[in-house]
Amino acid sequence: MKNLRMMTRRDWIASVAAAYGVVSQRVNAAPVKSVETKSIAAVVSIYEPKTHADVLVGKILEGWKQDGGAGPALKLSSLYVDQFTDLDLSRKMAAKYNVPIFDSIEKAVTVGTDRIPVDGVISIGEHGEYPINAKGQHLYPRRRFFKEITDTFQKYDRVVPVFNDKHPGPVWADAKWMYDRAQEMKVPFMAGSSLPLTYRKPELNLPLGSEIEAAVGIGYSELDRYGFHALECFQCLVERRRGAESGVEWVQYLDGDAMWNVLDEGLVSQAVFDAALAAVPKVRQGDVRDDPDAGLFLFKYNDGFVGALFMLQSVNRTSVALKLKGQEKPVATQFEERTEPAHPHFAYLLKSIERMIHTGRPSYPVERTLLTSGMLDRALTSRLQGGKRLETPELAIRYQPVDYPHAPLPDLSANPSQPLAR
């Protein structure tokens, strides 16, 4: 494979813009007038400022920057809110934009009629007061939301695309049930994190079929909530290795001396770990090995590739480093989490959702998120069981990755129905 150099941002934008036929990089460029606006129903757990409901649904209502400027070719037709809080924003936004709030998911999907008039559904089961189980999983009502959405599809004999924010489940049995039901009912289904679509610092554009010899990820904060983001970032790069994805053979959680022994004994490359660590900002000084709350998700893929995701509390961002065949030094990138304007990485996630709703086809495989959901659930199960290595035949999930771009591409003003040029 040709050497993968770390491009300048200008070089990369120019090359990818040419490949994708992009005509504008301006977030606030006027949308193409010939594009028909599609309608969606939103099903959310809570809707407070800066929640996932705000930074996704709010962009449909108020534009990509949530400043009243241009936005996606989507219209919010209805809203269901599971919990109204003291900081609730949904009633204010609904009144401002004349959007009805319904007291059931069925009514939201049907917009209070006897049919399904919307073109898609966005389901956001994130944030709110919900129980936490012994594994530390926040039991958001994602399966319940999806069941009621798809029950409505069955009742009214119409299926439309559905996006599930973050990981389905989060318990593996629920994630698998949701995936199987989508397959059975032929629901165009997407899920996942915003971070695979965010800006990368430095820019790293990895070709499909790359010869990856080793990979290390670094995540931070809560194992369930942010461990999922970190696994999605890791998977969106390692899925591009030669042979594509065939699933995961086993998963293990390690902490204390056991997690650092994988570096000392050479199971995981110290050089690749160091490259990943250098890509993220530190919030705690001193030796990273003194981090008392650090943990490791260790896993082996069915093709023999070993993955390692270090969850550290001494950093506050996510990174992935890769050792590529033929290159002496690892390459690494940080997955940025910008807050202004209005958490822009969610605009690029919404662009992929917009595309699915307009085309009727997922922008990238939901199987990636099914796999990361299973890996996370099994890692947390291993932790509960004292670090036991768990064989995972249920994670023999095969899929072919697609070359969907990350920020600042695709152009947010581009026609969502137009195929990505190659």
Side-chain angles (χ1 to χ4, degrees), residues 176-255:
K176 185 62 164 57
W177 182 90
M178 292 168 68
Y179 175 78
D180 288 345
R181 184 158 221 211
Q183 293 289 299
E184 178 187 354
M185 294 181 63
K186 295 182 171 54
V187 178
F189 186 38
M190 280 174 57
S193 166
S194 62
L195 290 190
L197 299 143
T198 193
Y199 303 84
R200 297 176 187 178
K201 180 183 179 182
E203 184 52 58
L204 176 59
N205 190 41
L206 192 68
L208 292 172
S210 294
E211 295 187 73
I212 305 174
E213 295 182 338
V216 172
I218 287 180
Y220 71 102
S221 196
E222 301 102 314
L223 296 179
D224 180 41
R225 184 178 171 195
Y226 282 90
F228 172 72
H229 286 302
L231 281 169
E232 286 269 278
C233 292
F234 187 91
Q235 188 63 25
C236 82
L237 290 176
V238 301
E239 71 180 7
R240 304 174 80 86
R241 69 193 185 279
R242 178 170 289 184
E245 189 52 72
S246 59
V248 170
E249 179 182 338
W250 55 257
V251 175
Q252 186 174 22
Y253 177 86
L254 299 171
D255 57 16

Side-chain angles (χ1 to χ4, degrees), residues 2-245:
K2 293 181 180 179
N3 282 353
L4 180 69
R5 68 186 181 92
M6 302 302 284
M7 298 180 179
T8 67
R9 191 167 190 81
R10 179 178 297 175
D11 289 342
W12 183 81
I13 289 174
S15 65
V16 179
Y20 286 91
V22 173
V23 296
S24 171
Q25 298 300 324
R26 293 177 294 123
V27 169
N28 272 341
V32 180
K33 292 183 179 179
S34 61
V35 176
E36 177 188 359
T37 299
K38 299 287 187 178
S39 63
I40 66 112
V43 175
V44 308
S45 50
I46 68 170
Y47 192 158
E48 293 181 356
K50 298 185 179 181
T51 59
H52 285 208
D54 181 27
V55 296
L56 283 171
V57 177
K59 288 174 172 54
I60 296 172
L61 295 173
E62 300 199 307
W64 297 117
K65 292 184 176 181
Q66 294 180 243
D67 62 354
L74 297 173
K75 176 186 176 182
L76 182 64
S77 291
S78 59
L79 187 61
Y80 168 81
V81 181
D82 204 49
Q83 296 179 354
F84 292 97
T85 70
D86 292 342
L87 298 176
D88 177 63
L89 190 59
S90 66
R91 293 186 177 100
K92 175 183 174 181
M93 297 296 281
K96 181 177 179 180
Y97 292 99
N98 196 29
V99 175
I101 299 177
F102 292 98
D103 61 4
S104 76
I105 291 174
E106 178 181 333
K107 290 177 183 177
V109 173
T110 61
V111 197
T113 69
D114 60 356
R115 62 189 181 91
I116 297 176
V118 297
D119 299 300
V121 180
I122 295 178
S123 179
I124 306 173
E126 178 74 5
H127 306 292
E129 295 298 322
Y130 298 96
I132 298 174
N133 67 12
K135 292 191 287 188
Q137 292 169 309
H138 211 142
L139 300 179
Y140 293 116
R142 295 169 189 158
R143 173 172 172 164
R144 170 164 64 87
F145 284 5
F146 193 71
K147 181 181 186 302
E148 293 187 32
I149 291 165
T150 52
D151 281 351
T152 305
F153 292 171
Q154 287 184 322
K155 181 175 179 178
Y156 295 92
D157 196 26
R158 186 185 178 214
V159 164
V160 298
V162 178
F163 174 76
N164 176 90
D165 185 49
K166 291 192 71 176
H167 45 316
V171 175
W172 167 249
D174 291 347
K176 185 62 164 57
W177 182 90
M178 292 168 68
Y179 175 78
D180 288 345
R181 184 158 221 211
Q183 293 289 299
E184 178 187 354
M185 294 181 63
K186 295 182 171 54
V187 178
F189 186 38
M190 280 174 57
S193 166
S194 62
L195 290 190
L197 299 143
T198 193
Y199 303 84
R200 297 176 187 178
K201 180 183 179 182
E203 184 52 58
L204 176 59
N205 190 41
L206 192 68
L208 292 172
S210 294
E211 295 187 73
I212 305 174
E213 295 182 338
V216 172
I218 287 180
Y220 71 102
S221 196
E222 301 102 314
L223 296 179
D224 180 41
R225 184 178 171 195
Y226 282 90
F228 172 72
H229 286 302
L231 281 169
E232 286 269 278
C233 292
F234 187 91
Q235 188 63 25
C236 82
L237 290 176
V238 301
E239 71 180 7
R240 304 174 80 86
R241 69 193 185 279
R242 178 170 289 184
E245 189 52 72

